[in-house]
Amino acid sequence: MNEGIELLKLLAPVILLEFLLKIFCLVIIRKDKVKYFPKTVWVVIILLVSTLGPLSYLLFGREKY
């Protein structure tokens, strides 16, 4: 039981960062122009594909101005 709490304490910052990254991507996708997929597909990717979804949107899905 105590090991589970210790593990949760270690993973809490990672879980929080992933959650904030998803929120950030969902906020900026509203204003951005996207490429490769429609915005709805990017939203699904951001929400369902762990950390790689938001990172792939930030690296590949945004139009460069």
Side-chain angles (χ1 to χ4, degrees):
M1 179 73 172
N2 199 13
E3 295 168 358
I5 293 172
E6 291 299 319
L7 182 63
L8 184 60
K9 286 180 185 178
L10 287 174
L11 292 178
V14 175
I15 294 169
L16 181 64
L17 283 174
E18 182 175 347
F19 178 74
L20 292 174
L21 181 63
K22 287 183 181 200
I23 296 298
F24 173 74
C25 286
L26 291 174
V27 168
I28 65 170
I29 199 170
R30 295 176 61 202
K31 296 183 227 174
D32 283 350
K33 291 185 179 183
V34 297
K35 58 182 178 179
Y36 301 122
F37 300 118
K39 285 186 179 185
T40 53
V41 173
W42 277 116
V43 168
V44 170
I45 290 171
I46 290 168
L47 291 175
L48 297 181
V49 183
S50 186
T51 306
L52 294 177
L55 290 178
S56 63
Y57 169 69
L58 291 173
L59 295 174
F60 307 114
R62 299 172 72 191
E63 285 277 334
K64 305 290 190 256
Y65 297 104

